[in-house]
Amino acid sequence: MLLCIDCGNTNTVFSLWDGTRFLGTWRTSTEWQRTADQYFVWLTTLMRHNQLEVTIDEVIISSTVPRVVFNLRVLSDRYFNCRPLVVGKPECRLPVNPRVDEGTQVGPDRLVNTAGAFDRHGGNLVVVDFGTATTFDVVDDDGAYVGGVIAPGVNLSLEALHQAAAALPHVDVTKPQRVIGTNTVACMQSGIFWGYVGLVRGICDRIRGERDRDMRIVGTGGLASLFAQGDVLFDRIEDDLTMHGLTVIHQHNKETA
């Protein structure tokens, strides 16, 4: 049984893959201080709650927080008796190597999204991921990551707005009923929602223009479905794209070992 771990700046997601489907997916906050023992107790408790009696013997990790990887390695070694495959490390082979400036280190999350999107949809894609940052990953026709865009994340923008302007409250991210707000909360919600709809549309249009070709847009991340309500932004929305990408990379390494 394969355990896929996606560690982002805000949350860490664990999913169990049996070779054909995900049996369970669980999320926790990302904390570098959390020990391997704590991870194990938390994970096994959830597995028992879901009546999953399985043996984990393979682990693959994608992490944008380097300090977290050590304890996840210990978790794999101590409790699952295996050496984890870590995306971005030299021993982890990619289906197609990225084509970027020499010396550039591409985030593991972007490599995983690229692999997952290409496996499902082929090439000439833009993957828009609504995470702590909002990222745009450009996937070439052969599946290579060839660059992209990084913009502030939605919740990060809201937090910055609240901290910089003392009179502005915390607000939920939601689609407002009207563009023109008639109170402070509605004004902020409209600015965030329609502002990010415009951001996604504008950047994707410029990417298409720069590459001079038609490109499909794939949305992922927790807020992708919400922003799709504002306009026809995406050709597809994939909630489990990152986890699928981890299984693709893991299978590629098994086949090329």
Side-chain angles (χ1 to χ4, degrees):
M1 183 70 63
L2 173 65
L3 175 63
C4 300
I5 305 175
D6 172 38
C7 177
N9 290 293
T10 305
N11 293 313
T12 300
V13 183
F14 292 70
S15 288
L16 283 176
W17 175 254
D18 70 354
T20 57
R21 65 189 180 99
F22 289 109
L23 302 180
T25 297
W26 305 280
R27 185 181 304 266
T28 185
S29 58
T30 299
E31 297 178 7
W32 68 266
Q33 304 97 327
R34 185 172 285 132
T35 66
D37 302 332
Q38 289 173 312
Y39 279 122
F40 181 73
V41 170
W42 171 81
L43 181 61
T44 53
T45 300
L46 288 170
M47 289 171 59
R48 284 196 299 270
H49 177 74
N50 287 271
Q51 299 180 336
L52 288 174
E53 299 292 335
V54 298
T55 299
I56 297 171
D57 54 9
E58 295 178 296
V59 177
I60 183 168
I61 301 167
S62 168
S63 177
T64 58
V65 186
R67 298 178 75 181
V68 174
V69 175
F70 174 77
N71 282 324
L72 293 175
R73 285 185 181 273
V74 174
L75 170 71
S76 302
D77 179 64
R78 179 180 299 167
Y79 290 106
F80 306 136
N81 195 32
C82 70
R83 178 183 177 87
L85 193 62
V86 180
V87 179
K89 298 299 182 183
E91 64 272 15
C92 180
R93 294 176 293 276
L94 299 172
V96 184
N97 288 326
R99 291 193 289 272
V100 293
D101 293 344
E102 187 175 353
T104 299
Q105 186 172 359
V106 181
D109 55 331
R110 310 185 79 175
L111 297 174
V112 171
N113 283 345
T114 295
F118 181 73
D119 183 69
R120 283 181 170 171
H121 304 293
N124 289 321
L125 306 173
V126 180
V127 180
V128 185
D129 189 352
F130 291 89
T132 304
T134 301
T135 59
F136 299 74
D137 303 324
V138 180
V139 185
D140 211 346
D141 53 7
D142 64 346
Y145 170 88
V146 292
V149 177
I150 301 175
V154 177
N155 288 310
L156 195 62
S157 295
L158 276 172
E159 185 64 24
L161 193 61
H162 170 70
Q163 290 183 356
L168 297 181
H170 283 288
V171 299
D172 293 330
V173 183
T174 187
K175 181 184 178 182
Q177 294 182 345
R178 302 174 59 195
V179 175
I180 301 173
T182 54
N183 57 68
T184 301
V185 170
C187 289
M188 293 175 66
Q189 288 176 332
S190 183
I192 288 294
F193 183 85
W194 293 111
Y196 271 85
V197 168
L199 175 95
V200 171
R201 185 195 301 115
I203 289 179
C204 289
D205 284 348
R206 287 184 175 274
I207 290 173
R208 285 180 171 129
E210 190 169 289
R211 290 182 61 78
D212 193 25
R213 67 185 71 179
D214 184 43
M215 303 185 74
R216 287 170 293 170
I217 313 299
V218 179
T220 190
L223 294 174
S225 297
L226 171 65
F227 283 98
Q229 297 175 23
D231 208 341
V232 183
L233 294 177
F234 311 113
D235 295 292
R236 289 294 300 271
I237 294 177
E238 302 280 1
D239 294 331
D240 64 343
L241 183 65
T242 303
M243 286 300 170
H244 177 68
L246 285 171
T247 68
V248 170
I249 292 174
H250 179 266
Q251 184 62 34
H252 175 74
N253 279 263
K254 288 184 68 173
E255 292 173 352
T256 58

